[in-house]
Amino acid sequence: MRPPPRRSAGGTIAGIFGGLTSLVVLAILGISLFGGGQGAAGGTGTSTTTAGGPSTPREKATNSKIYKTGPLTPVSCRLPQIQPSAESMRGFMDTLSDCLDTAWTKQFTKAGIAFDKPDRVFWVEPGRSPCGSYPAPGASAFYCPANNTMYVGLRHVVETSGGEPLSHYAVYARVIAHEYGHHVQDRAGILLYGDGQMESGDTATRTEASRRIELQAQCFAGAFLGSERTTLPMTREQYTAMVNDVLGRGDDRQPPEKRDHGSGRHYAGWVITGFNGRDLTVCNTWIASPSKVS
């Protein structure tokens, strides 16, 4: 069976929240720019441990060793300014992916889990992957577990951001960090459990499992951006642009059977949880109550 791609949510910053001012958006989420706590995602509860550590697919998701590694180690990531060309966006993505490689390699070493870096395909022309053809409607990026590869459209990623200025680097960095988060899930064994839930359950079970996968990738992306706040300064303008963007990518207007990424509030809330959490325990969506991953 062909492994399903893990896609970034489509949509733009227009729509439900597109006309809100930045301060109103932050007020709706109940967050401050650099406040502590776990933002709109809320608490994640507690997990049970086994003497020998995670062994079953479920335990690898709910009690992964990666959660116990603390915050991501800063790697002093510095990104080039994005210019209006595909090659400039490619340079930005490659530099950011190198930073993600370094950061997550360190984290997996701490966890004592083998780690292989993902491959990257940053495309301009349509093509095919083991997980299907691209571009797909409304999606600028996806991760394919069949070949451990991130796929991102160099122009598509701008088109699906609703015309967000290229100077708002955080909007585009979040997309790459999210897809990398799926690779982290894959290497940690979390994705195996999540995809198993999606394949074996009914529609409600399938969509909830998908949301837990996607919202965790959001949290991992936030954790990386938060760890690099010294060399990737997140000004109020950058932070608000990123929050606006992810708010507009939620499932709010989808019918129940298609709500597989999470509401705008939660899609934004979990990236904020990771950004402010400074510890990967906050990214355990698998023990969060259903109301926190709706």
Side-chain angles (χ1 to χ4, degrees):
M1 182 175 184
R2 186 181 70 195
R6 301 307 319 172
R7 298 190 184 278
S8 289
T12 69
I13 59 172
I16 297 173
F17 297 100
L20 297 176
T21 65
S22 60
L23 292 179
V24 172
V25 168
L26 294 175
I28 287 174
L29 286 173
I31 57 173
S32 62
L33 180 59
F34 297 114
Q38 297 181 358
T44 56
T46 59
S47 63
T48 58
T49 60
T50 58
S55 57
T56 69
R58 174 175 169 75
E59 287 175 325
K60 286 186 177 180
T62 62
N63 190 32
S64 174
K65 292 179 181 179
I66 206 71
Y67 304 141
K68 303 174 178 64
T69 57
L72 283 167
T73 303
V75 296
S76 300
C77 190
R78 298 179 187 275
L79 300 175
Q81 189 174 22
I82 308 173
Q83 301 297 330
S85 72
E87 284 310 304
S88 177
M89 183 63 80
R90 185 188 303 278
F92 173 85
M93 291 182 182
D94 272 327
T95 302
L96 177 57
S97 297
D98 288 343
C99 294
L100 286 159
D101 283 344
T102 302
W104 284 109
T105 296
K106 289 177 180 289
Q107 213 67 16
F108 273 73
T109 298
K110 284 194 237 177
I113 305 173
F115 184 72
D116 298 316
K117 301 170 186 176
D119 290 327
R120 320 161 187 172
V121 174
F122 299 144
W123 51 269
V124 174
E125 299 298 329
R128 289 192 60 81
S129 79
C131 293
S133 60
Y134 55 86
S140 62
F142 65 94
Y143 172 74
C144 181
N147 61 353
N148 303 319
T149 301
M150 300 187 297
Y151 292 82
V152 187
L154 295 172
R155 295 195 178 99
H156 231 59
V157 72
V158 179
E159 294 168 2
T160 57
S161 74
E164 193 68 36
L166 294 175
S167 59
H168 288 162
Y169 79 87
V171 168
Y172 305 105
R174 197 279 314 169
V175 173
I176 310 302
H178 173 104
E179 298 309 331
Y180 206 104
H182 287 315
H183 182 70
V184 170
Q185 292 170 317
D186 190 20
R187 297 293 87 189
I190 297 170
L191 200 56
L192 178 65
Y193 173 70
D195 283 344
Q197 289 291 100
M198 291 175 63
E199 292 173 5
S200 62
D202 56 17
T203 298
T205 300
R206 176 179 57 79
T207 54
E208 182 176 316
S210 179
R211 290 194 300 271
R212 290 183 189 274
I213 290 170
E214 295 297 335
L215 295 172
Q216 183 172 63
Q218 284 290 85
C219 191
F220 285 159
F224 170 78
L225 293 172
S227 72
E228 296 302 312
R229 68 184 76 198
T230 300
T231 53
L232 298 179
M234 192 71 75
T235 64
R236 179 175 290 275
E237 182 180 14
Q238 290 286 354
Y239 188 86
T240 303
M242 178 182 68
V243 171
N244 264 317
D245 178 71
V246 291
L247 274 170
R249 295 175 185 265
D251 293 335
D252 305 77
R253 292 185 174 180
Q254 296 290 338
E257 65 273 12
K258 292 186 177 181
R259 291 177 185 167
D260 56 4
H261 277 66
S263 67
R265 180 182 178 87
H266 287 148
Y267 206 62
W270 280 97
V271 74
I272 294 163
T273 292
F275 186 88
N276 288 332
R278 301 179 185 238
D279 192 311
L280 292 183
T281 57
V282 303
C283 291
N284 190 350
T285 59
W286 298 97
I287 58 172
S289 67
S291 65
K292 302 300 183 184
V293 292
S294 63

